[in-house]
Amino acid sequence: MTRSAPPRHLLVIAPQCPDQGLLTGLEEAGESLHAVFLDEELGGCEPSPPGVASLLCGLSVGRAEIDQSVRDAADRAGAAEAVLVLAFLGHGTTLGQTPKLAFMASDSQEDVATSVVDVGGLLTLALDVPGVRGVIALVDTCRAGGAVPDLGGLAGGVRQGATSLSLLMSGSAVESAHGLAYTRTLVRVLRDGLPGAGMFLSPQDVQEAVDKEAGTSSQLLTLIGLSLDARPWFAHNARHRAGGALLGPLGEEDLRLALDPLGDAVPALPIVTSGDLARLRRTLAALDRHPATADQHLAHALRTLDRLATAVRTREFLLSSWPGSLPESERIRRAYVTAAGRPACASDGDELLRDCVESLCLRVPRTKGSPTAPLAAFVAALAVEDGLAAGTPGLTRWARGIGAGVELVDAFAAQVRRAAESRLRLVVSLHSAMADEWPETLLVWLLDGETLVGREDFRCPPTQAGVEQRLGAVLAWATRQARCTGFRLRRIDIAAPSALLACWRPEEARLGQRLGLHYDIVLRWSDRLNLPAHLGLINEFARNQLDEMNDGPAVPVNWLDRAELSAVQKLVESLENGCYDGALALRHRPERLQELLEPLLAYAPMVLWPDDTGDLPQASQDSVERNWAKLPREFSAAYRNSWKQGDPVDEHTDLARVRSVWLDEQWLDFCDAFANDSVDGENPR
């Protein structure tokens, strides 16, 4: 797991000093600088704790308040092992001939040493607080160059010089400043970003860009006495693109559709950086009932831009500030399925991340309540795989930044519920059956993940009715065992020979109510527990197949038509030669399905077929492909809905016409445990 960047704490101080004359626009400059540093895409600073101000500006900011606020901010940064970002804007002077900055508070008086703020002294104090990961300071005053701290004192201080400072001063200790031009230009540079400067802007990048645009000659003092994970950075670069184009095909399409109705009211603007998105939104927000603009079109365009900005911010967060391991493509696909309930697109790498995030921001919310809930579910799924908690600072900062704080907590809670529901698994095996006969014994295991909770054999009459009736006793036993774990049993794996799988629907077994009303049932091929000699390596080959499916198309299904099914020997040879990758699905149910299932199940990880004679409707084939990422569990939901005689055009009505036998890593692990530890059928593990 990669180490996350330290948090950044902020304090901007911009007092008016009546004794030296009020500065026009000081409050506005302070607020703008404060906002840009709090912007997670730019300054990346955390909001201050409740009741603590991170912006002090105006006519009531006295010397004592400034002094105490800086000390308190340094203590909080030290406790949090944070970088402290400080800014001093306003009047500055020197006392006598000493080239030392005297910062003027609201109650400061010229030439009264006890009434002014010693910026250099405050910086010295802040730098020497244990735990502070560095100080980044901006001073925009007259005589700003006099704000240099006591470097000699730091070497002999508590930390003995093990500290880091980046101090940007708008001028020298003898220069005047005019109209806060330095701060105004700096804010503009941070909002627009710098082409070619990389993901982060260094203090030197900012100094050079501001001096060039404002015509100033600022000073930069850098002190690196603390070993950090990375060099200090001043701000995120708004013009940095996190790999590939800023917007993917879906984002570009939705933006074009949103802007088209506005016509000439919106100027043509290439969207290359997040700064371009922000400028376009400001342009739209400034439209005040333009003749060519209908209010609903403008509102839709603003919503689209907000969602695109959220997508870009999330992508940058996952690529540059994610507190866990950088997510690879397969993890991204799994998280997308969790959040969207459907497979991800066919792209890979950075493009896959971009396309998934855009889809969650722009398309999935149309069928959800909160527009940020799907994105929160996606991030939570990635976080759970990394072992991150909902309160991890980086996660909470991201969630607050996009207005999804509650949604993120809800997403973590949903992950916990899903994990609890899927922990327990009851395996009922009919592998002792001979040919197409029903068995006289059911072998049963209750598993908590891979841990064996209980194991039992149940004698039963060798008929379908006898087996189904005995399932009641099996469930009563399993429920008692499950109660001891504190979790509910919701999942049953039923393993049977191919002849029984072709004709049996165990979810329809009536135990008061149908078994499948309360349990998700997955059918397995029991022959994988006791492989015949000529198929001895198929379980190992199956692992390779599953790996290839994970790296292959989102819907790895091969649909077989009548002609392919009628030439059984040719089909088997093709399977043996590896001509089919992924699952096999039958468009037509042959009359002697049981004779075909066994060779198919030996070579394909999943086999699907129509539940009734004849051809499978095209709508059912489409439903399989749409729901592939949620299978096989979604089959159980479809069967339940079909029994309740729901809407005939419901998605589940089409899916319920399909039967399946499933193979996954979990079942292969169980088969291996059975083979390695229990050749005579004793407990695996």
Side-chain angles (χ1 to χ4, degrees), residues 36 39 41-42 184-198 201 209 213 235-241 272-280 282:
V36 82
D39 188 325
E41 288 187 345
L42 300 175
R184 298 178 197 279
T185 305
L186 183 143
V187 168
R188 193 159 53 247
V189 166
L190 296 188
R191 284 178 173 166
D192 292 347
L194 299 176
L201 298 179
E213 186 172 333
H236 291 285
N237 185 6
R239 283 201 169 270
H240 173 72
R241 292 184 297 172
V272 179
T273 71
S274 56
D276 295 332
L277 276 178
R279 281 190 292 275
L280 178 56
R282 289 196 292 271

Side-chain angles (χ1 to χ4, degrees), residues 397-482:
R397 284 197 300 273
W398 165 81
R400 285 197 303 265
I402 67 166
V406 174
E407 286 83 350
L408 183 65
V409 174
D410 289 346
F412 268 90
Q415 289 276 337
V416 171
R417 287 194 301 272
R418 280 193 291 270
E421 289 179 356
S422 62
R423 279 188 59 152
L424 296 184
R425 179 170 51 115
L426 178 65
V427 178
V428 180
S429 178
L430 284 67
H431 71 272
S432 63
M434 301 297 293
D436 59 353
E437 300 294 330
W438 292 87
E440 296 181 350
T441 303
L442 302 179
L443 281 70
V444 178
W445 297 262
L446 182 64
L447 301 170
D448 181 357
E450 295 186 355
T451 302
L452 181 67
V453 175
R455 163 77 174 85
E456 194 62 74
D457 292 348
F458 290 83
R459 298 288 294 176
C460 61
T463 63
Q464 178 176 340
V467 168
E468 292 182 356
Q469 184 180 28
R470 198 62 172 143
L471 286 176
V474 170
L475 283 169
W477 169 84
T479 301
R480 290 193 301 271
Q481 301 292 323

Side-chain angles (χ1 to χ4, degrees), residues 25 156 215 251 267 289 346 373 404 512 524 584 598-599 602 664 666:
R289 298 189 178 276
R524 310 290 195 177
L584 297 179
E598 183 161 346
D664 53 29
Q666 193 176 49

Side-chain angles (χ1 to χ4, degrees), residues 13-37:
I13 303 171
Q16 291 282 11
C17 179
D19 193 64
Q20 295 238 315
L22 301 185
L23 288 172
T24 302
L26 174 62
E27 290 84 354
E28 178 188 0
E31 290 169 359
S32 298
L33 183 67
H34 183 259
V36 82
F37 271 122

Side-chain angles (χ1 to χ4, degrees), residues 219-239:
Q219 295 189 351
L220 173 64
L221 172 66
T222 301
L223 171 66
I224 305 295
L226 177 66
S227 177
L228 298 174
D229 299 326
R231 290 298 184 187
W233 51 275
F234 199 88
H236 291 285
N237 185 6
R239 283 201 169 270

Side-chain angles (χ1 to χ4, degrees), residues 121-445:
L122 289 177
L123 291 176
T124 303
L125 288 171
L127 286 163
D128 209 30
V129 173
V132 172
R133 295 287 296 278
V135 173
I136 295 173
L138 166 68
V139 180
D140 186 7
T141 66
C142 295
R143 318 295 187 262
V148 175
D150 180 4
L151 301 182
L154 286 172
V158 173
R159 305 180 71 178
Q160 298 184 339
T163 187
S164 295
L165 170 68
S166 296
L167 173 59
L168 189 55
M169 300 162 283
S170 60
S172 71
V174 297
E175 284 183 287
S176 298
H178 302 283
L180 297 165
Y182 196 84
T183 297
R184 298 178 197 279
T185 305
L186 183 143
V187 168
R188 193 159 53 247
V189 166
L190 296 188
R191 284 178 173 166
D192 292 347
L194 299 176
M199 183 181 296
F200 299 101
L201 298 179
S202 69
Q204 186 174 359
D205 290 332
V206 174
Q207 178 198 25
E208 293 174 354
V210 174
D211 281 347
K212 181 178 180 180
E213 186 172 333
T216 52
S217 299
S218 63
Q219 295 189 351
L220 173 64
L221 172 66
T222 301
L223 171 66
I224 305 295
L226 177 66
S227 177
L228 298 174
D229 299 326
R231 290 298 184 187
W233 51 275
F234 199 88
H236 291 285
N237 185 6
R239 283 201 169 270
H240 173 72
R241 292 184 297 172
L246 185 75
L247 302 183
L250 192 153
E252 290 181 347
E253 178 186 10
D254 276 26
L255 181 59
R256 177 181 57 79
L257 293 174
L259 296 180
D260 279 350
L262 303 180
D264 295 337
V266 181
L269 181 68
I271 302 298
V272 179
T273 71
S274 56
D276 295 332
L277 276 178
R279 281 190 292 275
L280 178 56
R281 197 195 189 286
R282 289 196 292 271
T283 299
L284 292 183
L287 293 176
D288 186 16
R289 298 189 178 276
H290 187 282
T293 303
D295 288 350
Q296 68 270 22
H297 295 314
L298 178 58
H300 174 64
L302 288 169
R303 282 195 302 272
T304 300
L305 281 169
D306 287 340
R307 290 178 177 178
L308 284 171
T310 295
V312 170
R313 168 177 277 186
T314 301
R315 183 180 170 209
E316 290 277 0
F317 166 61
L318 291 170
L319 289 175
S320 63
S321 304
W322 180 244
S325 302
L326 187 66
E328 70 275 8
S329 295
E330 189 51 41
R331 286 181 59 203
I332 292 170
R333 293 184 191 281
R334 287 197 299 270
Y336 182 83
V337 169
T338 298
R342 60 175 183 249
C345 60
S347 52
D348 289 298
D350 285 351
E351 289 186 358
L352 172 66
L353 178 61
R354 178 199 63 200
D355 295 344
C356 285
V357 170
E358 283 187 356
S359 173
L360 292 165
C361 288
L362 295 168
R363 298 294 173 86
V364 176
R366 296 177 183 178
T367 59
K368 300 271 186 176
S370 166
T372 54
L375 192 61
F378 175 75
V379 171
L382 292 173
V384 167
E385 287 203 25
D386 269 337
L388 303 177
T392 302
L395 288 175
T396 55
R397 284 197 300 273
W398 165 81
R400 285 197 303 265
I402 67 166
V406 174
E407 286 83 350
L408 183 65
V409 174
D410 289 346
F412 268 90
Q415 289 276 337
V416 171
R417 287 194 301 272
R418 280 193 291 270
E421 289 179 356
S422 62
R423 279 188 59 152
L424 296 184
R425 179 170 51 115
L426 178 65
V427 178
V428 180
S429 178
L430 284 67
H431 71 272
S432 63
M434 301 297 293
D436 59 353
E437 300 294 330
W438 292 87
E440 296 181 350
T441 303
L442 302 179
L443 281 70
V444 178
W445 297 262

